[in-house]
């Protein structure tokens, strides 16, 4: 089994390094890279409008790292008045490490649906909610918080930008290296991979690979694209991906 990890550089390279240490053959092939978001400069003033019991949501480690770097640049600390929430354990830990604050997160799957089940988020009418995220993405969290009576503001802390490759050249390379397992951690990257690889290689190689994804939603999208051998990891962090790959 040769594994191709498509997640962005640092996380992707870390997973590849851990797989190789376990004797697996693995390669990193990042499909996206990150740049500062268009609304990052407004972060501090948006945080300052939040009072006791208002809500801050971090939807990824990248949102946390870009947000924290922006606050550091302005010599500001994370405010202590709002309550903090994260999409999953890894993001919660990242936010806790930079802020020193308590961060609540769902113990089950790292998706908006499970985050929204937290008891603290059931009665939030009249509260302000600030969502720290990347460009695009799902609107379920914002829409549901609004339905529950919160005033929601989005802050684009980073942008996901596709890395450009020659699809035929890459397909030849990975087929020659006998890649049989693909790790894809977002629907956006899955779509990008499918579009990148030319039709002939898609049918002769790509769709025959085992695909490891991080949610049922991405698995459904993969089935619609033509994959059949699909596995869903417990969460999107490297520990969970490693368990699934072993």
């Amino acid at each position: 089994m040769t594994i191709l990890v498509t997640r962005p550089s640092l996380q992707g390279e870390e997973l590849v390094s851990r797989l190789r240490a376990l004797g697996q053959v693995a390669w990193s092939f990042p499909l996206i890279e990150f740049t500062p978001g268009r609304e990052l400069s407004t972060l501090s003033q948006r945080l300052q409008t939040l009072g006791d019991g208002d809500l801050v949501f971090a939807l990824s480690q990248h949102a946390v790292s870009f947000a924290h770097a922006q606050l550091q640049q302005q010599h500001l600390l994370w405010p202590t008045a709002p309550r903090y929430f994260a999409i999953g354990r890894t993001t919660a830990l990242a936010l806790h490490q930079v802020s020193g604050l308590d961060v609540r997160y769902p113990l089950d799957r790292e998706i908006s649906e499970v985050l929204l089940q937290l008891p603290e988020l059931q009665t939030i009418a009249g509260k302000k909610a600030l969502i720290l995220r990347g460009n695009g993405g799902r609107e379920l969290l914002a829409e549901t918080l609004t339905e529950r009576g919160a005033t929601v503001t989005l802050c684009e802390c980073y942008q996901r930008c596709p890395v450009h490759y020659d699809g035929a050249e890459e397909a030849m390379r990975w087929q020659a290296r006998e890649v049989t397992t693909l790790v894809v951690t977002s629907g956006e990257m899955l779509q990008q991979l499918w579009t990148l690889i030319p039709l002939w290689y898609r049918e002769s190689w790509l769709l025959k690979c085992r695909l490891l994804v991080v949610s049922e939603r991405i698995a459904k999208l993969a089935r619609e694209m033509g994959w059949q051998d699909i596995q869903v990891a417990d969460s999107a962090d490297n520990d969970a991906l490693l368990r699934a790959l072993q």
Side-chain angles (χ1 to χ4, degrees):
M1 174 173 74
T2 298
I3 303 163
L4 190 64
V5 176
T6 67
R7 75 181 321 178
S9 278
L10 287 178
Q11 291 168 305
E13 286 162 12
E14 187 220 4
L15 180 57
V16 165
S17 173
R18 291 173 68 181
L19 285 165
R20 287 177 175 174
L22 293 168
Q24 302 270 23
V25 181
W27 302 93
S28 177
F29 182 49
L31 290 172
I32 59 173
E33 58 190 2
F34 300 105
T35 58
R38 290 168 295 192
E39 295 161 340
L40 189 58
S41 61
T42 68
L43 172 66
S44 59
Q45 63 199 64
R46 294 184 190 201
L47 284 170
Q48 285 163 13
T49 68
L50 302 178
D52 283 339
D54 287 335
L55 316 165
V56 178
F57 295 86
L59 298 194
S60 72
Q61 294 176 75
H62 304 292
V64 172
S65 60
F66 276 97
H68 185 62
Q70 177 69 21
L71 293 179
Q72 278 190 311
Q73 192 179 326
Q74 296 175 274
H75 306 291
L76 297 171
L77 299 174
W78 290 87
T80 57
R83 291 182 291 168
Y84 288 85
F85 297 85
I87 195 73
R89 178 181 172 275
T90 308
T91 304
L93 186 60
L95 182 52
H96 172 71
Q97 284 174 337
V98 297
S99 69
L101 300 169
D102 181 49
V103 184
R104 295 279 289 121
Y105 63 95
L107 298 176
D108 194 5
R109 302 191 66 76
E110 297 187 2
I111 53 175
S112 298
E113 288 87 343
V114 183
L115 175 60
L116 285 161
Q117 291 171 13
L118 289 176
E120 302 96 318
L121 299 180
Q122 304 313 304
T123 310
I124 55 170
K127 301 293 183 188
K128 293 177 187 170
L130 176 62
I131 299 177
L132 311 179
R133 66 176 199 170
N135 55 316
R138 303 175 73 202
E139 304 299 336
L140 178 69
L141 180 62
E143 289 170 357
T144 307
L145 295 173
T146 301
E147 285 168 10
R148 293 178 185 176
T151 302
V152 178
T153 306
L154 305 173
C155 184
E156 183 193 284
C157 294
Y158 67 96
Q159 287 192 333
R160 291 179 293 268
C161 306
V163 181
H164 296 290
Y165 295 102
D166 180 316
E169 191 177 297
E170 295 302 327
M172 280 191 286
R173 182 207 311 271
W174 303 125
Q175 192 171 20
R177 288 182 176 176
E178 299 183 340
V179 167
T180 55
T181 297
L182 308 168
V183 178
V184 182
T185 52
S186 78
E188 177 188 8
M189 285 190 280
L190 184 68
Q191 185 69 60
Q192 193 182 332
L193 181 63
W194 190 87
T195 305
L196 174 69
I197 302 302
L199 179 63
W200 189 85
Y201 286 107
R202 207 183 291 159
E203 293 177 348
S204 66
W205 166 68
L206 188 71
L207 294 174
K208 291 180 179 176
C209 289
R210 177 170 74 117
L211 184 66
L212 177 63
V213 297
V214 298
S215 73
E216 287 295 343
R217 182 175 58 85
I218 304 172
K220 181 175 181 289
L221 178 63
R223 279 190 287 273
E224 290 167 358
M225 289 175 168
W227 269 280
Q228 293 179 328
D229 188 357
I230 304 166
Q231 182 180 359
V232 182
D234 295 335
S235 75
D237 65 59
N238 279 346
D239 289 342
L241 293 171
L242 202 60
R243 285 195 299 274
L245 288 166
Q246 286 177 282

